[in-house]
Amino acid sequence: MSAQQESPASIRGMGDMFKGLGRKLAAGEAGTLLVLLMVGAIWTFFQSQNSRFLSPGNLTNLMLQQAAVATISIGVVLILLLGEIDLSVGAASGFCAAVMVVLMVLHGVQPVLAVLVALATGALIGLFNGFMVTRFKIPSFVVTLAVSLTLVGLLLYVLGDTGTLNLSDNFVTALTSTFFPPLIGWAVASVAIVLILAAALFGRSRRSKAGLKVGSLGGLVFTVVAIAAAIIAMVFIFNEDRGLPLVVCIVFALALAFAYLTERTRFGRHMFAVGGNAEAARRGGIKIEHVRMLVFVLGSTLAAAGGILAASRLMAVNQSSGGSDLLLMAIAGPVIAGTSLFGGRGSVWSALLGALVIGSIANGMDLLSLASSVKYIVTGGVLIAAVTIESVTRMRRHGGMIE
């Protein structure tokens, strides 16, 4: 009897869950699910055009290619949450990587110290950007665009006449060339799944004790199972190739740390408040100038970290480091994955999902040997579509009219 009563209830629960997902998709509140569906569609299309696309080797290379972009995008997300923009992250990544390599190769500085100096250089760049934006009230896109041009000049200056410096130090190159054996990969996956389950249950318990609305248990189980399946699939793919890459662990650790910062700390709540309504945040006692300056510092430091990872993978820095379409990809990724350009809305995880979308498109077009002109047109078209969708859902959320 009990089973007969529970079965219809379970079916209604699942039905309500899918109806809720449908409403959230229509309202633009289920961005993660939408991006995952987008990734599925992209992968299906390119696999149908080239059977090597979903091979373990190509998917592992895709992750390695996007590690630097994802790291820079995490910093971009923080700045976008404020409703600001930083157009210097690409140039900052290239310049900071050049500083690191010049110190190591030309001046014999210890690798650890050179990496720290590169990160500190990134922090100083962010401090300058934040100071100019908050002290002189100059729009962030003007300040960071000017800084970007300056950094390109500094990059050419520090590299000198050679224009290219090769990197052979094991400490730095190991960041992107280290792969863990299968047993360690499965151990890492098991720990990650247990932590995700514990965090989900703990968060649900805290909301329940605080008297806040909690989602259905079925929805929580569905989410945890889906994430666990994705982690298991990812580790399986890595193990079919060279193993779990160290750089993937680094990027996920950074994302986890900054997700905690934005979602679980007072400073994170202040960031959302400033991005949502700066004047209301100021009247609420939040020191918005301090918040802005610190976020610019974090954004540029992460850009420097991304530059270090890029130099590690390429084993060199040159005059084009941090250039080309790196800035476009670092900003486009989070926007495509749902982070608002208007501030106050977004997630650090959108940096990883966006990098996956942008990287999958670029990787697939490379496999199809499409011309560079086509790649830029397609990438720009995807960004325009994402921004349009975000703008439409924002207007719906605020009850605006679309003319």
Side-chain angles (χ1 to χ4, degrees):
M1 180 175 176
S2 175
Q4 291 174 347
Q5 289 174 344
E6 289 178 4
S7 181
S10 301
I11 293 174
R12 285 197 300 273
M14 294 295 289
D16 292 341
M17 183 182 71
F18 285 113
K19 287 180 181 178
L21 284 175
R23 286 194 296 270
K24 288 183 177 180
L25 278 174
E29 297 175 354
T32 301
L33 178 60
L34 185 62
V35 174
L36 292 177
L37 293 174
M38 192 185 305
V39 171
I42 293 169
W43 285 16
T44 301
F45 172 75
F46 283 116
Q47 177 64 17
S48 69
Q49 301 299 310
N50 190 316
S51 60
R52 289 187 300 157
F53 182 78
L54 290 182
S55 65
N58 188 56
L59 290 179
T60 301
N61 287 335
L62 172 62
M63 297 298 176
L64 295 176
Q65 290 166 357
Q66 293 305 303
V69 176
T71 302
I72 298 171
S73 290
I74 292 173
V76 171
V77 168
L78 303 180
I79 295 169
L80 290 178
L81 288 177
L82 294 180
E84 304 286 354
I85 191 74
D86 188 345
L87 299 179
S88 70
V89 290
S93 70
F95 174 66
C96 293
V99 169
M100 175 192 70
V101 177
V102 166
L103 288 175
M104 292 170 58
V105 176
L106 300 184
H107 300 284
V109 175
Q110 290 296 317
V112 175
L113 180 58
V115 169
L116 292 176
V117 170
L119 294 175
T121 303
L124 287 175
I125 294 170
L127 185 64
F128 177 80
N129 287 338
F131 176 77
M132 296 299 289
V133 170
T134 57
R135 178 66 179 82
F136 299 105
K137 310 299 181 187
I138 304 173
S140 55
F141 80 92
V142 176
V143 173
T144 56
L145 180 60
V147 170
S148 175
L149 294 174
T150 305
L151 292 175
V152 171
L154 289 173
L155 170 66
L156 299 178
Y157 177 77
V158 298
L159 288 179
D161 297 332
T162 58
T164 300
L165 286 175
N166 294 323
L167 182 62
S168 58
D169 179 78
N170 290 333
F171 175 78
V172 177
T173 57
L175 294 174
T176 54
S177 62
T178 299
F179 298 86
F180 296 117
L183 188 59
I184 293 182
W186 288 122
V188 172
S190 301
V191 171
I193 292 171
V194 170
L195 290 177
I196 290 170
L197 177 60
L201 293 175
F202 180 69
R204 180 184 174 85
S205 174
R206 284 188 60 186
R207 290 184 65 86
S208 180
K209 289 180 179 177
L212 300 174
K213 182 181 179 181
V214 295
S216 67
L217 187 60
L220 184 145
V221 171
F222 177 81
T223 302
V224 172
V225 170
I227 295 175
I231 292 174
I232 292 172
M234 191 164 61
V235 172
F236 176 78
I237 291 170
F238 288 143
N239 286 344
E240 288 293 300
D241 189 51
R242 285 157 284 179
L244 177 64
L246 170 63
V247 70
V248 170
C249 299
I250 293 173
V251 173
F252 271 89
L254 284 174
L256 187 64
F258 282 94
Y260 181 84
L261 175 73
T262 56
E263 298 172 9
R264 302 290 182 185
T265 66
R266 176 178 296 181
F267 178 73
R269 291 191 289 274
H270 287 180
M271 288 172 57
F272 281 96
V274 173
N277 190 322
E279 180 58 25
R282 187 185 64 80
R283 293 186 179 185
I286 297 175
K287 297 179 179 178
I288 60 176
E289 289 80 9
H290 293 179
V291 173
R292 282 186 170 133
M293 288 193 66
L294 185 52
V295 168
F296 272 103
V297 169
L298 291 174
S300 294
T301 305
L302 285 165
I308 293 170
L309 293 180
S312 169
R313 181 171 174 272
L314 297 174
M315 300 177 70
V317 291
N318 54 46
Q319 294 176 344
S320 64
S321 295
S324 187
D325 57 355
L326 179 61
L327 174 63
L328 170 67
M329 295 176 72
I331 294 178
V335 175
I336 288 173
T339 294
S340 174
L341 282 169
F342 305 97
R345 182 169 170 268
S347 165
V348 168
W349 298 108
S350 67
L352 272 59
L353 292 172
L356 185 60
V357 172
I358 291 287
S360 298
I361 295 173
N363 182 281
M365 290 192 292
D366 285 339
L367 284 180
L368 298 180
S369 301
L370 297 181
S372 297
S373 57
V374 177
K375 296 176 187 176
Y376 279 113
I377 292 171
V378 171
T379 306
V382 171
L383 179 58
I384 290 173
V387 172
T388 304
I389 293 172
E390 199 280 327
S391 180
V392 170
T393 53
R394 182 174 60 91
M395 294 176 72
R396 282 180 177 172
R397 196 176 303 113
H398 295 296
M401 298 296 293
I402 303 172
E403 298 179 357

